[in-house]
Amino acid sequence: MIPRIRIACVHATPLAIGPVAEAFKRWAPDWECKNVVEERLVALQGEGDAALALFLDVLRRAEAGAPAVILTTCSMYTRRLPEVRPLIGKSVVGIDEPMIEKAAEAGGPIALVGSIEEAVNGTARLIRERAKARGRSVDLSRRLLVDPKICTQPAGVRELEEKIRPLIQVCHAVVVVQASLSVVEDFFTGAEKEKILTSPRLAVARLKEILEGYPS
């Protein structure tokens, strides 16, 4: 019997667990998810040596569970991944990395929607860097900052959908920075939904590429 593929998911907030679990249920139901939550990561906001040391410690805790891949869901730490990857024996994927790449590819006016200002700013920096490397220009001036718990109730998700809809009309893409807000994409269809970039769905696709043929 082939064992289930185990993915270790490193979270800075429990709010990210549900959307990632739902993404696995939809697009990779045979995967097993092991969640590692460290809320101190939020307080440190990815800045400085203390944040890096804590991030590395959490990744090593996740690695101890012998996962096939480690998925990190805190967007404030995506920029620190190049520093920690050489120190971890497993592949480490930032949940928003495929989303950032897709936004950079879209170019032009791009809106960012998030619940943590530093995370929104950090994602904007990464999109700008990726776009420059591709020779693309981006306008990241449109930002929408919302309550972190807005998507914990159906009424909040609907409110977020109403806030995002005008942005779709004037932007090439709308980047939903936090995984905890990604459920909002279900309110859109067709061409509008294509413009909504959320991290869980795109990350699952990236993990499938990495895990092709696993286990050998």
Side-chain angles (χ1 to χ4, degrees):
M1 180 178 176
I2 298 176
R4 297 179 72 190
I5 292 174
R6 180 183 302 148
I7 309 296
C9 296
V10 171
H11 309 287
T13 171
L15 293 174
I17 294 175
V20 174
E22 180 61 26
F24 284 3
K25 181 180 178 181
R26 287 189 185 186
W27 300 298
D30 293 333
W31 291 357
E32 176 186 350
C33 181
K34 174 65 175 178
N35 294 306
V36 181
V37 182
E38 178 51 81
E39 295 187 77
R40 289 180 294 168
L41 290 168
V42 175
L44 294 174
Q45 296 194 344
E47 296 290 340
D49 293 340
L52 183 62
L54 178 60
F55 188 39
L56 183 58
D57 176 70
V58 180
L59 290 173
R60 284 174 171 159
R61 276 188 262 158
E63 185 181 26
V69 179
I70 299 172
L71 180 70
T72 67
T73 69
C74 183
S75 53
M76 288 188 291
Y77 286 81
T78 299
R79 62 186 174 82
R80 309 300 304 253
L81 288 175
E83 298 171 83
V84 297
R85 278 190 173 114
L87 305 175
I88 301 296
K90 297 291 183 178
S91 295
V92 182
V93 175
I95 194 170
D96 54 347
E97 288 182 296
M99 179 179 69
I100 288 167
E101 291 169 11
K102 197 168 182 64
E105 182 181 341
I110 296 171
L112 292 102
V113 178
S115 60
I116 301 174
E117 186 173 9
E118 179 54 37
V120 172
N121 292 337
T123 298
R125 286 194 294 270
L126 291 174
I127 292 173
R128 192 174 290 111
E129 290 172 6
R130 299 290 196 283
K132 183 177 180 181
R134 289 172 173 266
R136 307 279 287 175
S137 62
V138 289
D139 174 3
L140 303 171
S141 59
R142 295 171 178 83
R143 312 283 177 90
L144 174 61
L145 200 63
V146 300
D147 188 293
K149 297 182 179 180
I150 192 170
C151 286
T152 58
Q153 298 294 330
V157 183
R158 176 62 73 180
E159 178 186 347
L160 181 57
E161 175 263 326
E162 291 173 353
K163 291 177 180 291
I164 287 176
R165 195 165 293 280
L167 296 172
I168 294 177
Q169 307 306 316
V170 295
C171 293
H172 290 176
V174 175
V175 174
V176 180
V177 175
Q178 268 76 44
S180 57
L181 306 178
S182 62
V183 66
V184 74
E185 74 173 331
D186 290 338
F187 281 83
F188 299 91
T189 59
E192 286 189 331
K193 189 166 186 173
E194 288 298 313
K195 287 188 175 184
I196 303 292
L197 303 185
T198 60
S199 55
R201 173 171 52 84
L202 295 170
V204 168
R206 174 62 55 83
L207 290 175
K208 285 184 174 183
E209 292 174 2
I210 293 172
L211 293 168
E212 185 177 0
Y214 178 93
S216 58

